[in-house]
Amino acid sequence: MERLEFRLLGFPEFRMNGRRVSLALRKAAALLIFLAEAGGSVSRETAATLLWPEADEETARARLRRTLYKIRVAFRGELVAASGTTLNLQPALSVEVDTRAFEHACDRGSLETAVNTYTGDFLAGFALEGCQEFEEWAFFRREALRSRLTQALERLIETRIAAGDARTAIVHATRLVGLDPLSESAHRHLIRAHLAAGDRAAAERQLEACARHLRDELGVPLDPATVALLQGPGKATEAPRTRYVEVEGIHLAYQTVGDGPLDIVLVPGFVSHVERIWEDSRCRSWIAAVSRIGRLILFDRRGVGLSDRVGARPTVDATAKDILAVMDAAGSRRALLVGSSEGGPGCIRFAVDHPDRLVGLVLWGSLAKGSRTRDYTCALTHEQYDLWRRRLIANWGGPAEIETFAPSLVGDRQAEAWWAGLLRAASSPGAVTGVLEALRDTDVRHLLARISVPTTVLHRSGDRAVLAESGRFLAAKIPGGRFVEVAGDDHWFWVGDQTPLLRAIGEFAGRYR
């Protein structure tokens, strides 16, 4: 069987039976790359539109035929199986693609293999002028792979430090900083690795480099928690150890903070990162306050943050399974469940399926349905939602939509830098698309009447991301549900007045005692 190799991490290369093949025509290379990444059939129309967006249908199809001929000449044979409507790589070929090998290694937990396979960013230095759709596709794919590399490096650094192999941890942490020099979290990993290796001088130099980057590029100071890393044990408000639990072959990242009598499980919104949240002083303040009430259990749902990426769109049933797995792993028999924003529907599913595992339910800025219908008017229409989703994704990598989620923080460069960094680490434009589409199609209204645990619904009056009417709807439909309207416009619960949410959690803790 003939062997076709694609090297797409870095500037693309093609090999046939070990022989390097040069393609002078960039659109021929782009077509092969797109087919290799698709892993199956692609319609002729899709390929023609992707590569010749400015041409009419007849012209585009003629150019596609000419491009297929150029590929046949370069590879000395039929590489692409073409029907009247579809294209795909010849099934008889043995096809190896380094991007797939990288992702498979990540999926298996072979993180050393994964990071060694990642020799450069996807299609680095390769571009098609005038082909915006191809460029956008390549951008989303590049960001998805970089996100997985970041996740793999973060996990490797922690495991190497824990195993006493600080030197290897330094290598991985240095690479992590190179990926995102403005990430204070990445610098912290490298500082910790130097300290674990006993090289305080190197740790101090890294702290100075981090301070310089943040000052010169963002105009913000170091977080006090970063400075405190060098001040000895007990000085820093350190994030607890990240642990993992496996459910349905997917590894979920979770942490526990505090040791009070009541367990409090937080289910986050559409993106999260159990380690990056500690970089924000407001988040740390909220975590510290809750951990004084009870033991707080934090986790990243499947597909985001430090948890494994998944190919399927997340569902409320999947989130309920994640909650159960994390509670079991943390040894929690009963807990107060706190669902924020898009995490709320999964909490509702869990409350219906496992009422015996709950003390109560708190929903913050949440909703029962992701899009508007005649009988549910407090959400965006499909068209409005998709427009907002496209805007969010178009600005991914920056502080995307912070004016929607936290209008009070617009112009706060430190907060904006933190949010941009969390987005990049937690997901990618392509991966988060499935999460957002799943939210748009979510509907748990039929479950609300079946909730039997005490429930409090809190919502900010001026919430721009999820209208306050959504919270009122939840409270009205949940038996015994209590609605608390909170002043302010911010969607994030850790921004603005935190007292109402802390009070609600404290009330459940009081009942539990």
Side-chain angles (χ1 to χ4, degrees):
M1 179 180 288
E2 292 191 297
R3 183 162 57 93
L4 175 61
E5 299 174 72
F6 288 83
R7 296 291 176 262
L8 307 181
L9 293 170
F11 194 84
E13 291 183 9
F14 311 95
R15 294 182 183 273
M16 190 69 166
N17 299 323
R19 173 181 67 90
R20 183 171 177 177
V21 179
S22 296
L23 280 170
L25 187 63
R26 284 212 167 194
K27 290 193 177 180
L31 177 59
L32 284 181
I33 291 165
F34 192 71
L35 291 175
E37 285 287 319
S41 296
V42 172
S43 74
R44 281 178 174 267
E45 183 181 1
T46 297
T49 302
L50 193 72
L51 299 178
W52 297 280
E54 79 292 346
D56 58 58
E57 182 177 350
E58 184 177 348
T59 302
R61 283 182 173 270
R63 290 176 179 174
L64 178 58
R65 287 193 297 271
R66 191 159 52 249
T67 301
L68 290 172
Y69 171 75
K70 295 279 189 182
I71 292 172
R72 186 162 60 249
V73 170
F75 284 87
R76 303 173 189 172
E78 292 287 355
L79 202 65
V80 179
S83 71
T85 57
T86 63
L87 305 170
N88 60 277
L89 296 175
Q90 288 285 0
L93 291 170
S94 171
V95 180
E96 298 177 11
V97 188
D98 59 352
T99 54
R100 290 188 203 166
F102 167 73
E103 290 180 310
H104 290 163
C106 290
D107 293 341
R108 294 193 308 269
S110 303
L111 301 181
E112 292 280 2
T113 300
V115 300
N116 289 335
T117 302
Y118 197 106
T119 54
D121 285 338
F122 182 66
L123 305 187
F126 183 88
L128 285 184
E129 292 185 11
C131 295
Q132 184 177 353
E133 284 194 32
F134 181 86
E135 288 297 306
E136 287 181 356
W137 169 79
F139 169 76
F140 288 164
R141 183 68 172 133
R142 186 177 305 119
E143 288 300 305
L145 292 166
R146 280 177 64 92
S147 176
R148 295 211 71 173
L149 176 64
T150 297
Q151 180 194 39
L153 288 170
E154 288 175 332
R155 288 172 64 174
L156 272 175
I157 293 162
E158 294 303 320
T159 56
R160 290 297 87 208
I161 290 176
D165 184 7
R167 294 299 175 187
T168 302
I170 289 171
V171 173
H172 293 315
T174 301
R175 187 174 181 185
L176 184 64
V177 170
L179 282 175
D180 191 356
L182 298 182
S183 166
E184 198 164 351
S185 174
H187 287 278
R188 284 184 188 176
H189 278 296
L190 186 49
I191 291 168
R192 290 190 191 98
H194 282 310
L195 291 174
D199 192 343
R200 183 177 178 84
E204 290 174 345
R205 287 194 298 272
Q206 194 57 44
L207 183 72
E208 292 171 3
C210 179
R212 186 169 59 254
H213 278 296
L214 296 180
R215 181 187 66 245
D216 294 347
E217 300 296 329
L218 300 175
V220 298
L222 282 171
D223 189 295
T226 305
V227 178
L229 289 173
L230 288 163
Q231 295 177 350
K235 296 294 184 181
T237 307
E238 280 292 305
R241 176 188 169 193
T242 299
R243 295 178 169 83
Y244 288 86
V245 57
E246 185 176 346
V247 54
E248 298 181 339
I250 299 165
H251 296 87
L252 304 176
Y254 74 96
Q255 296 178 349
T256 61
V257 192
D259 56 5
L262 172 66
D263 285 340
I264 304 158
V265 179
L266 175 65
V267 182
F270 78 101
V271 289
S272 66
H273 194 293
V274 291
E275 293 184 356
R276 295 289 179 114
I277 57 174
W278 289 87
E279 293 181 20
D280 181 76
S281 59
R282 302 169 188 84
C283 276
R284 285 202 312 275
S285 173
W286 187 86
I287 290 170
V290 175
S291 65
R292 289 192 290 270
I293 299 172
R295 183 177 68 141
L296 178 61
I297 302 173
L298 307 165
F299 75 101
D300 292 329
R301 291 180 297 150
R302 63 183 72 190
V304 298
L306 287 175
S307 293
D308 285 347
R309 302 296 186 257
V310 292
R313 297 197 320 177
T315 63
V316 292
D317 292 331
T319 299
K321 290 176 182 177
D322 292 351
I323 295 168
L324 182 62
V326 168
M327 285 182 65
D328 287 345
S332 177
R333 294 179 57 203
R334 293 185 75 207
L336 170 64
L337 192 57
V338 180
S340 170
S341 191
E342 193 258 340
C347 293
I348 290 167
R349 174 83 265 180
F350 186 88
V352 170
D353 292 345
H354 305 284
D356 57 311
R357 300 294 297 269
L358 295 183
V359 171
L361 174 65
V362 174
L363 299 172
W364 171 276
S366 195
L367 69 170
K369 192 175 185 302
S371 57
R372 181 181 300 182
T373 52
R374 288 183 179 180
D375 56 349
Y376 190 84
T377 60
C378 49
L380 299 175
T381 65
H382 262 60
E383 293 74 16
Q384 290 171 327
Y385 187 93
D386 287 342
L387 180 63
W388 173 80
R389 175 180 56 81
R390 288 195 297 271
R391 192 172 70 223
L392 173 70
I393 290 172
N395 293 299
W396 203 267
E401 290 299 296
I402 194 169
E403 65 275 12
T404 299
F405 299 120
S408 70
L409 297 184
V410 172
D412 184 327
R413 297 188 68 182
Q414 193 156 18
E416 290 178 347
W418 168 78
W419 176 236
L422 185 143
L423 287 177
R424 291 193 298 271
S427 190
S428 64
V432 84
T433 294
V435 175
L436 295 171
E437 288 175 347
L439 172 59
R440 180 197 62 198
D441 299 336
T442 290
D443 188 353
V444 295
R445 290 176 297 171
H446 62 290
L447 298 176
L448 300 180
R450 296 169 56 190
I451 296 177
S452 58
V453 300
T455 302
T456 297
V457 179
L458 299 99
H459 219 110
R460 285 218 168 97
S461 56
D463 193 331
R464 300 179 184 180
V466 181
L467 297 179
E469 287 78 4
S470 300
R472 294 192 188 95
F473 181 93
L474 286 171
K477 299 295 182 180
I478 296 173
R482 183 169 70 103
F483 181 71
V484 178
E485 185 166 327
V486 182
D489 301 329
D490 296 307
H491 181 63
W492 293 341
F493 58 82
W494 64 91
V495 177
D497 186 7
Q498 302 174 9
T499 305
L501 180 55
L502 293 174
R503 184 183 297 120
I505 294 171
E507 288 172 357
F508 278 104
R511 295 179 207 170
Y512 182 73
R513 296 191 186 95

